[in-house]
Amino acid sequence: MKIYRRVRTWIMLGILLVLTLSISLLTYIYSGNISPSMWDLMQIQSVMSIMLVTVFTVVIAAETVAGEFSTGTIKLLMIRPWSRSKILLSKYVSLLLFGLFFMAVIFVWTIVTNMLFFGYDASPIMGSDMSQLTYWLLNYGAEFITMIVIVTLAFLISTVFRSGGLAIGLSLFILLGGSIVTGIIRMLDYAWVDYLLFANLSLSEYILGDASSITGKPLGFTLGVLAGYYVLFIAITWTVFNRRDIAS
């Protein structure tokens, strides 16, 4: 209720819809006699929109618990007939549903608008028998898993440090600068680099390939590393929240 009753939520969604529509519209107007494929635009729009959805979800995650402490409303939640774990779980699930909702809307919106402007392109992925629609479904699914890990980290920081700014800053650093940091560290040729969170966030690479271009590891290894970080983040978040003195 807190998420969807706020005007900013719908402003965020409006920004995403307008930006993706603008790309399709401007391309249609200025493409001239060259008619691009709807999937070519999907590539540009998806990179931009998935990044923004992740940023918006991180912003919500950063204040979902920290905001309760800063405003003092956390004490009102504690006197309700629900356990701390249920309260925290409801907040966490609402974040994931928020991200999933935005992802689904953008996915459908970009396909429909591009199809209306440029027609449906049924050709498969170049060099593969996989259809474009299947590829993008898998791509969005892979990016959603990545988003879950990033948002869970932001949720942890928001809960443990009660700082929305720190949660946003650190999460966006991992999202935007993690690959650069990994590349720099990788030049030192340390084996432990493969286990860094930064190096295992590009799940979409596995849709058409068997190994990561960053670590050279198979999908099972990457999912195992992400699962380990995810369990660690969840365990720390729940432990700290359940043991914390709310009055402090």
Side-chain angles (χ1 to χ4, degrees):
M1 291 171 61
K2 287 184 177 180
I3 292 176
Y4 297 103
R5 283 186 175 181
R6 293 181 176 178
V7 177
R8 72 171 183 188
T9 298
W10 304 107
I11 292 177
M12 290 176 180
L13 183 59
I15 290 173
L16 287 168
L17 297 180
V18 170
L19 283 177
T20 51
L21 178 61
S22 299
I23 293 174
S24 298
L25 182 59
L26 291 174
T27 304
Y28 178 78
I29 294 174
Y30 294 107
S31 61
N33 296 326
I34 303 175
S35 181
S37 168
M38 61 175 290
W39 304 115
D40 294 334
L41 290 181
M42 188 81 173
Q43 178 71 43
I44 301 172
Q45 293 166 320
S46 295
V47 171
M48 177 195 68
S49 58
I50 290 174
M51 180 73 69
L52 286 177
V53 169
T54 304
V55 171
F56 292 158
T57 310
V58 164
V59 170
I60 301 296
E63 71 158 22
T64 188
V65 177
E68 299 284 1
F69 280 99
S70 62
T71 59
T73 52
I74 187 66
K75 296 179 181 179
L76 298 178
L77 290 177
M78 293 298 102
I79 63 175
R80 301 288 184 178
W82 302 298
S83 66
R84 292 191 180 193
S85 292
K86 286 185 178 180
I87 292 173
L88 196 62
L89 180 61
S90 67
K91 288 182 172 293
Y92 181 68
V93 171
S94 68
L95 286 174
L96 299 187
L97 292 177
F98 171 84
L100 180 60
F101 169 64
F102 269 42
M103 281 272 201
V105 170
I106 289 301
F107 178 76
V108 174
W109 175 258
T110 50
I111 287 183
V112 171
T113 52
N114 287 334
M115 187 169 58
L116 290 175
F117 281 115
F118 307 103
Y120 184 75
D121 183 2
S123 60
I125 294 287
M126 185 176 297
S128 171
D129 295 331
M130 182 184 296
S131 69
Q132 294 274 7
L133 181 59
T134 300
Y135 170 82
W136 284 108
L137 278 170
L138 293 175
N139 184 278
Y140 270 72
E143 294 296 339
F144 181 67
I145 294 175
T146 300
M147 188 192 74
I148 289 176
V149 177
I150 297 296
V151 169
T152 303
L153 175 61
F155 191 69
L156 178 153
I157 299 171
S158 174
T159 303
V160 173
F161 298 101
R162 295 182 288 187
S163 172
L166 179 61
I168 295 173
L170 185 56
S171 299
L172 294 186
F173 168 74
I174 292 177
L175 178 65
L176 302 176
S179 59
I180 299 175
V181 174
T182 302
I184 295 174
I185 298 177
R186 196 161 186 78
M187 295 173 62
L188 303 177
D189 197 25
Y190 289 127
W192 51 262
V193 174
D194 294 340
Y195 296 90
L196 291 176
L197 177 62
F198 312 123
N200 293 278
L201 292 176
S202 300
L203 289 176
S204 58
E205 290 186 338
Y206 291 103
I207 298 176
L208 298 176
D210 297 326
S212 169
S213 63
I214 300 176
T215 64
K217 301 294 185 179
L219 178 61
F221 176 86
T222 298
L223 290 178
V225 172
L226 291 181
Y229 278 106
Y230 179 81
V231 171
L232 179 64
F233 293 161
I234 290 293
I236 295 175
T237 302
W238 255 257
T239 300
V240 171
F241 187 76
N242 282 317
R243 294 183 179 180
R244 165 163 284 160
D245 182 6
I246 299 301
S248 62

